[in-house]
Amino acid sequence: MLPEAAHPERARKKIFMRNALTLSGSIRSDSLNARLARAFGEKLAQAGANLTHVDLADYPLELFNADLEAQNGEPDNAVALARLFGNADIIFIASPEYNGSVSPLLKNTLDWISRQRTHKPFARATFGIGAASPGSMGGISGLRHLREILGSVGALVIPKTLGVGNAGKVLTESGRFCDPALEERADEIAEMMHSIQRRM
Ligand SMILES: Cc1cc2nc3c(=O)[nH]c(=O)nc-3n(C[C@H](O)[C@H](O)[C@H](O)COP(=O)(O)O)c2cc1C
């Protein structure tokens, strides 16, 4: 919990409701990254954000191919996601690490979204990134790639990342943190995301 009572400045920030969006780069049932996205979303909501959780299973997209784009135009799901991104002040992405990089689902989704100029999907939000892995390293190699990808589309990504190792033990099935040190780190990152706001 953010100790708002002891920090009037933080409590005051709640007046400005921010739109926060969380998403997981895995749609696997019982995805650890979905747990992380939910747990972190709760932190953002506790800090006063108006939270939307995006389940990418609700936005299926074909594997990007410029021919498809040329023939059919922008898929509705890419437009819908770009609009959600463009309206968010804070976006937290939890990505699985696959062979040292991000999941193909997440990369494909970001590629489609990056084609949307109208909604300026990466121009407004402050991005936070995290990864949950059953291994001990917490997906940090994948997070380096995710930072580069988001940087290449002009997104503002905060410096701290939330790599969660042994994730099955420190995130509950219902999507809560159950490790005090991890929860403290999540609080710090949520607070940093709230305080860093891009000037339009
Ligand atoms: C193709 C593939 C590659 C993987 N590579 C890594 C890896 O490089 N590092 C790692 O920590 N875990 C790796 N894993 C294990 C994933 O971290 C693990 O399956 C995780 O639970 C996936 O995220 P999810 O639970 O959100 O679906 C890999 C899994 C798959 C299927």
Side-chain angles (χ1 to χ4, degrees), residues 24 26 28 30-34 96-101 132-135 138-139:
S24 162
S26 168
R28 187 176 70 83
D30 196 29
S31 156
L32 295 170
N33 286 279
E97 179 176 274
Y98 282 172
N99 299 321
S101 190
S133 166

Side-chain angles (χ1 to χ4, degrees), residues 66-154:
D67 288 345
L68 282 177
E69 189 184 38
Q71 285 157 18
N72 308 327
E74 306 303 337
D76 291 347
N77 284 338
V79 176
L81 285 169
R83 189 179 291 123
L84 283 170
F85 270 51
N87 287 332
D89 302 301
I90 290 171
I91 298 177
F92 179 78
I93 300 177
S95 173
E97 179 176 274
Y98 282 172
N99 299 321
S101 190
V102 301
S103 67
L105 170 67
L106 179 61
K107 180 65 166 64
N108 190 52
T109 302
L110 293 174
D111 285 345
W112 273 114
I113 296 175
S114 75
R115 307 292 290 170
Q116 304 294 311
R117 306 278 176 235
T118 320
H119 301 294
K120 296 189 167 53
F122 301 103
R124 170 169 165 175
T126 299
F127 284 74
I129 55 176
S133 166
S136 59
M137 298 301 286
I140 53 173
S141 299
L143 287 177
R144 278 196 287 271
H145 283 194
L146 182 54
R147 181 179 294 286
E148 279 185 27
I149 293 163
L150 289 170
S152 78
V153 291

